[in-house]
Amino acid sequence: SVLLTLLANTTNTLRVVVTASSTELSGATVRLQDGSFDQTKTTECGQVFFSGLTAGTYTATVSKTGYQTLVDAAVGVSGASVYTVTLSP
């Protein structure tokens, strides 16, 4: 006989969607930080994905040449989270 035990899903992820004028923006840089985590990724299709995160609040810095840089110090992550950013020229 086999005993299977189900555990709660403790993986926290964040998908960041970067848009400008309602269109996903490729080539934007997304930096995600908290006290122990600091990672930067570049969007290929207007989105980046961060995995293995601790639930909590992060600071996101999103930038692209020709657009205003956005800094948000209140990005919440818990479970499978999505954060959408709109950059202005």
Side-chain angles (χ1 to χ4, degrees), residues 3-77:
L3 174 64
L4 296 175
T5 303
L6 299 177
L7 300 174
N9 183 356
T10 57
T11 301
N12 296 292
T13 60
L14 178 65
R15 180 169 55 103
V16 180
V17 181
V18 182
T19 64
S21 303
S22 300
T23 303
E24 291 186 354
L25 191 60
S26 295
T29 300
V30 179
R31 181 178 184 187
L32 190 65
Q33 300 170 275
D34 78 350
S36 61
F37 184 88
D38 187 348
Q39 192 172 84
T40 302
K41 295 187 175 187
T42 302
T43 62
E44 293 184 22
C45 59
Q47 301 183 29
V48 294
F49 188 77
F50 296 92
S51 61
L53 302 173
T54 301
T57 302
Y58 290 77
T59 298
T61 304
V62 183
S63 61
K64 179 173 171 69
T65 302
Y67 294 85
Q68 295 178 11
T69 297
L70 179 135
V71 178
D72 186 346
V75 178
V77 173

